[in-house]
Amino acid sequence: MNVSVVLFTSDLRLHDHPPLTAALAGAREVVPLFVRDPRCTAPARLAFLADCLRDLDAGLRERGGRLVVRSGDPVEEVARIVAETGAGAVHMAADVSGFAQRREERLRQALGARLHVHDAVNAAVAPGAVLPAGSDHFAVFTPYYRHWSRTPLRHPLAAPRTVRVPEGVASEPLPAGEGTGGETAGRARLAAWLRTGVNAYEERHDDLAGDATSKLSAHLHFGTLSPVELVHLVRTVPGPGAEAFRRQVAWRDFHRQVLAARPDAAHADYRTKHDRWRTGADARDDIEAWRAGRTGYPVVDAAMRQLLHEGWMHNRGRLLAASFLTKTLYIDWRVGAAHFMSLLVDADVANNQLNWQWTAGTGTDSRPNRVLNPVTQAKRYDPEGVYVRRWVPELAGVEGPLVHEPWRLRGAVADYPGPIVDLADGLARFRRARGLD
Ligand code: FAD
């Protein structure tokens, strides 16, 4: 074959890239294509994406090629490139969201047998590769994890030595980047994490102030790191830290296989509790306070402000902020998920929507009615109040764990709001709504 196309989507790397390897094996020349879809333009992620594209282009140029960037509908752009170059094959990675599944279906209609979709590019274990008897996905994590751990992974592929791109294929200029995204940065972060971070992961991953997690989530979302290669590497590290980290990475595959089988779980309850979430003016005020980090519960506010400032939030913070919105305030999980989606650099339909559903008790949690108490949790995971003081400057002068309960201080703290809800009232409302009392 003379020419093949590789459509890059959430797999912006050269190492361990099955579609690229297959395209190079089957054709003399390859068009590495990325289509900017104007529907996917959350500002929080544009800078990171720009870095990824620039780094991918630089890596291709070192190998004699280059990246072709076009804007528009991915199916139309792929068809255009196929017509321009006479390409005989198009290779791409399988993906799980409804959007990705529809895109694949439309590409199949347009290209027929010329489309080659590769599994285990964006997941270590592809959706459907392990299944429980009689179902199309695992609905419970623990048995999934047992199967996942035993599943042999394919061997990671080397980055190609040379890439020849046909002459004359036009590309738009690359967007300007800032330097934190991209495969080079992702691989450096992973190497440093495996050298110095992962061993302490089991003890420290819940320490809100500790910055002791990998911060690899955006790299995994954009595919600048291969999950297959990552799991292979982590398996070479002995000890409970690496084991706990691997388990967390398996959660990512778990949510992907749920969404692949139930793409509507991005917006509909996975297991409905027939909630009649609060709406109206009071609810709107509460939502505003939650978004702004002004609920009067310091640990929730710290987490929400970390999101606003960094485009990232600690996992324990995400759990607390989500539990507070859905259970203590009894607001629809979709409201919170949309807010996270608009601000997280690692925002990911599978991980975000299904973690929100898990926390709201409409998802896969086997204890759907548990409510996290933000004060108890804060004292456990931020015992000295370091995290709160870092993100809530109004409370910077309050020493020790008392910072988690500013209402117990004599005299109000200037500019910091009182609690917008009484925790006992919130709990009672939730239990009533779910028919638990
Ligand atoms: P680490 O603790 O170092 O974990 C390593 C990797 O494992 C992560 O990068 C991630 O890919 C995966 N992982 C870890 N925890 C989870 C989990 N609970 N579910 C699925 N995968 C996990 N993660 C996202 O990648 N994108 C999201 O949009 C997202 N939204 C979330 C929303 C809520 C309400 C909650 C509770 C969690 C959400 N998570 C999301 C999961 C988790 O919080 C982040 O993956 C993690 O905080 C990212 O930081 P890290 O890379 O340092 O994680």
Side-chain angles (χ1 to χ4, degrees):
M1 194 181 299
N2 282 338
V3 179
S4 285
V5 175
V6 177
L7 177 63
F8 285 87
T9 54
S10 301
D11 48 356
L12 303 176
R13 63 176 182 269
L14 295 175
H15 291 83
D16 193 40
H17 198 286
L20 181 60
T21 304
L24 289 166
R28 279 195 312 115
E29 294 180 317
V30 165
V31 183
L33 172 67
F34 182 81
V35 181
R36 294 204 293 182
D37 188 328
R39 287 167 295 182
C40 311
T41 51
R45 289 181 289 288
L46 280 182
F48 198 96
L49 172 64
D51 295 338
C52 297
L53 297 179
R54 296 189 85 81
D55 195 51
L56 185 57
D57 181 60
L60 286 164
R61 283 179 193 275
E62 279 167 22
R63 292 163 172 83
R66 68 195 165 89
L67 183 65
V68 172
V69 177
R70 299 270 175 102
S71 294
D73 172 61
V75 180
E76 286 170 19
E77 291 308 316
V78 168
R80 218 186 300 280
I81 296 266
V82 167
E84 279 172 31
T85 60
V90 173
H91 294 266
M92 70 181 294
D95 214 338
V96 293
S97 68
F99 173 83
Q101 292 189 36
R102 282 192 297 280
R103 179 179 60 198
E104 183 184 319
E105 187 46 42
R106 287 179 57 222
L107 279 166
R108 200 172 292 291
Q109 278 169 15
L111 301 168
R114 280 175 299 179
L115 181 68
H116 301 272
V117 179
H118 298 257
D119 281 335
V121 180
N122 297 328
V125 173
V130 290
L131 288 176
S135 177
D136 58 358
H137 68 291
F138 275 92
V140 182
F141 177 73
T142 306
Y144 175 76
Y145 182 56
R146 264 200 307 276
H147 284 82
W148 185 93
S149 299
R150 286 199 297 258
T151 305
L153 302 181
R154 63 171 178 76
H155 235 71
L157 301 164
R161 292 233 176 94
T162 53
V163 179
R164 289 181 47 166
V165 179
E167 300 270 316
V169 181
S171 173
E172 292 170 7
L174 294 171
E178 286 178 357
T180 60
E183 182 176 15
T184 308
R187 293 182 78 78
R189 181 175 278 279
L190 174 60
W193 170 249
L194 294 179
R195 250 190 343 265
T196 59
V198 74
N199 284 328
Y201 185 77
E202 199 206 11
E203 304 118 66
R204 300 195 55 215
H205 70 274
D206 261 331
D207 172 1
L208 273 163
D211 269 337
T213 64
S214 70
K215 295 206 171 169
L216 290 172
S217 47
H219 287 290
L220 286 165
H221 170 70
F222 285 97
T224 47
L225 288 178
S226 148
V228 167
E229 190 182 358
L230 180 139
V231 174
H232 267 290
L233 289 170
V234 178
R235 278 183 179 169
T236 65
V237 180
E243 161 65 26
F245 180 69
R246 218 165 53 220
R247 186 182 165 89
Q248 223 49 37
V249 174
W251 270 103
R252 182 174 177 275
D253 283 357
F254 173 72
H255 289 316
R256 294 180 72 81
Q257 56 96 47
V258 174
L259 192 66
R262 297 278 185 284
D264 69 332
H267 46 84
D269 288 350
Y270 176 74
R271 285 195 186 117
T272 189
K273 297 284 179 292
H274 305 286
D275 288 294
R276 300 176 57 150
W277 304 105
R278 286 171 61 222
T279 54
D282 276 3
R284 278 199 295 280
D285 289 348
D286 286 354
I287 293 168
E288 271 325 301
W290 178 81
R291 282 187 183 137
R294 290 188 65 78
T295 66
Y297 287 95
V299 75
V300 173
D301 294 343
M304 296 305 293
R305 295 185 197 187
Q306 180 175 30
L307 174 64
L308 286 169
H309 284 91
E310 286 195 342
W312 186 84
M313 195 196 280
H314 192 284
N315 181 56
R316 181 55 49 182
R318 298 187 203 208
L319 288 166
L320 292 179
S323 173
F324 187 80
L325 186 77
T326 55
K327 289 177 168 163
T328 305
L329 296 177
Y330 200 53
I331 304 282
D332 194 335
W333 63 267
R334 279 157 281 247
V335 172
H339 182 68
F340 272 33
M341 265 300 190
S342 70
L343 291 175
L344 281 171
V345 176
D346 66 25
D348 180 272
V349 177
N351 269 358
N352 189 57
Q353 310 304 93
L354 292 173
N355 269 299
W356 269 96
Q357 292 230 45
W358 189 91
T359 318
T362 59
T364 57
D365 187 4
S366 52
R367 291 170 55 201
N369 296 319
R370 71 173 108 187
V371 178
L372 300 179
N373 179 312
V375 179
T376 319
Q377 291 266 317
K379 288 179 182 168
R380 187 174 309 156
Y381 299 116
D382 185 30
E384 291 308 313
V386 176
Y387 180 69
V388 163
R389 280 188 294 278
R390 185 183 299 160
W391 290 108
V392 186
E394 303 96 297
L395 300 175
V398 183
E399 285 177 16
L402 197 56
V403 78
H404 297 307
E405 300 166 279
W407 52 88
R408 290 181 53 204
L409 293 166
R410 252 178 271 121
V413 181
D415 295 336
Y416 189 69
I420 59 169
V421 61
D422 180 88
L423 292 181
D425 292 348
L427 184 61
R429 173 173 56 199
F430 176 70
R431 293 187 61 82
R432 263 197 319 278
R434 286 266 168 105
L436 301 172
D437 288 327

